[in-house]
Amino acid sequence: MLKKIATGFLAVAATSAVALSLPSVASASTVGAAGYDNDYSDYWSPVYSKNGLAKSQGWIGVSWDEDGESNEVTVRGRLYDLDNRDEDEGGKCAFVKFEASDFDHDWSPVYSKKYCGFPGYKKFSFSENDVFSVRVKVCQIGQHSNYPTKCGRWEYLYTAESE
């Protein structure tokens, strides 16, 4: 009897492991973090500054109009300050910036956020219309500065052609 129970647990564990290892497939219409239908939605992995002392992660959702000619992109996330040094020791704040391209592939800044507060995070959210692509970059920035430093590379969160 004990052997049958153990075998049953092993079968459940193996099935769960296989299911968890399979990549998830996004459907044509998924319910996003906000709880409403999107034509595309996904969670984006942590993006770090060059030195790893700032990070951001979150969710992106895209809703297209009925004709498929216009869309609204919503981005939500958290910005983490991972620099435990104070300003006198050279510590800096976390900074995230987003750019979006229109359907003519022209990039422009659409949102940025600064957060000083190791070891915490700051939530953010924004929406943009008629977007072909969205990308994000995480940096550090001085508490009283307007010039980011130690920026990581651009990470693409969404491109219309990948749908």
Side-chain angles (χ1 to χ4, degrees):
M1 177 75 164
L2 189 59
K3 189 174 183 179
K4 287 183 180 181
I5 293 173
T7 303
F9 280 127
L10 286 174
V12 170
T15 304
S16 299
V18 169
L20 291 174
S21 68
L22 294 175
S24 62
V25 177
S27 63
S29 178
T30 57
V31 178
Y36 58 88
D37 285 339
N38 292 293
D39 296 306
Y40 171 86
S41 73
D42 198 9
Y43 288 93
W44 44 281
S45 300
V47 178
Y48 290 89
S49 61
K50 190 174 186 177
N51 60 5
L53 295 178
K55 83 172 183 178
S56 187
Q57 65 187 48
W59 173 87
I60 185 168
V62 182
S63 296
W64 286 87
D65 67 1
E66 292 176 5
D67 301 323
E69 295 175 0
S70 179
N71 65 14
E72 180 180 35
V73 174
T74 302
V75 177
R76 291 191 168 89
R78 292 179 177 180
L79 176 60
Y80 295 83
D81 181 1
L82 305 176
D83 194 342
N84 64 357
R85 302 171 297 167
D86 62 24
E87 191 175 13
D88 295 338
E89 297 172 319
K92 297 196 182 318
C93 304
F95 182 79
V96 64
K97 59 184 174 178
F98 292 86
E99 288 185 350
S101 71
D102 57 21
F103 294 109
D104 293 326
H105 305 287
D106 295 322
W107 289 97
S108 57
V110 292
Y111 184 82
S112 63
K113 186 70 157 182
K114 177 180 183 176
Y115 175 64
C116 307
F118 174 83
Y121 64 85
K122 182 78 168 179
K123 290 182 180 181
F124 61 84
S125 178
F126 69 93
S127 294
E128 193 70 25
N129 292 314
D130 299 327
V131 172
F132 183 78
S133 294
V134 177
R135 62 187 181 184
V136 61
K137 184 184 279 194
V138 176
C139 308
Q140 281 196 293
I141 191 167
Q143 189 170 358
H144 305 290
S145 175
N146 293 323
Y147 302 101
T149 62
K150 305 292 185 192
C151 294
R153 59 189 178 122
W154 285 110
E155 296 287 339
Y156 289 79
L157 303 181
Y158 167 77
T159 300
E161 64 191 14
S162 66
E163 280 191 71

